[in-house]
Amino acid sequence: QVGLVESGGGSVQDGGSLRLSCVASDYQYRSACMAWFRQAPGKEREGVASICSRDTPTYADSVKGRFTISRDDAQNTLYLQMNSLNSEDTAMYYCATGRSFIQPYNRMRASWYGAFGQGTQVTVSS
């Protein structure tokens, strides 16, 4: 079981930016698909962005052009750069790890990921 620890959340104003980080405790992370999910109060968990090694990242339509997912395998770290934030981005953000390959049409589905971190809160106010 990979341990995942997120950080970087906080409170920002509408239009602001944040960079989330997720450190994995196991070197096996380097061969896994990784993703960011988020869950707002009263809503289901939704996929935000996913990246599998040597593959093009996948994004939810709601964040395309604003968020960028990246990974530093040497540091076992996953990132999510979030720009042009708005109130609809307010949620708890979780990183997740899955298999070494997940079909692109499944990468936004939580059921394809075996481990999740504890989450980091992002709050955007107007």
Side-chain angles (χ1 to χ4, degrees):
Q1 185 82 8
V2 179
L4 302 169
V5 179
E6 303 95 335
S7 63
S11 296
V12 296
Q13 291 191 327
D14 194 48
S17 298
L18 284 173
R19 188 192 195 202
L20 305 183
S21 299
C22 171
V23 179
S25 63
D26 194 316
Y27 73 95
Q28 291 181 354
Y29 145 91
R30 300 176 185 178
S31 63
C33 289
M34 301 289 294
W36 288 97
F37 287 80
R38 67 186 181 187
Q39 188 166 18
K43 295 187 178 181
E44 294 185 356
R45 186 172 296 189
E46 64 172 349
V48 174
S50 175
I51 184 168
C52 298
S53 296
R54 307 174 187 174
D55 207 351
T56 302
T58 303
Y59 296 95
D61 288 343
S62 59
V63 306
K64 282 180 181 177
R66 300 188 298 123
F67 290 11
T68 302
I69 188 172
S70 61
R71 61 195 295 168
D72 182 344
D73 289 345
Q75 300 296 324
N76 286 3
T77 303
L78 179 73
Y79 300 101
L80 184 68
Q81 178 66 44
M82 305 186 295
N83 299 327
S84 301
L85 286 162
N86 59 62
S87 59
E88 294 186 354
D89 297 315
T90 294
M92 185 72 79
Y93 283 72
Y94 302 88
C95 71
T97 180
R99 300 178 178 182
S100 60
F101 180 77
I102 300 173
Q103 292 288 354
Y105 49 81
N106 284 326
R107 289 179 189 172
M108 297 291 102
R109 299 180 179 180
S111 59
W112 285 87
Y113 295 84
F116 286 79
Q118 293 300 307
T120 185
Q121 178 67 38
V122 172
T123 302
V124 184
S125 58
S126 57

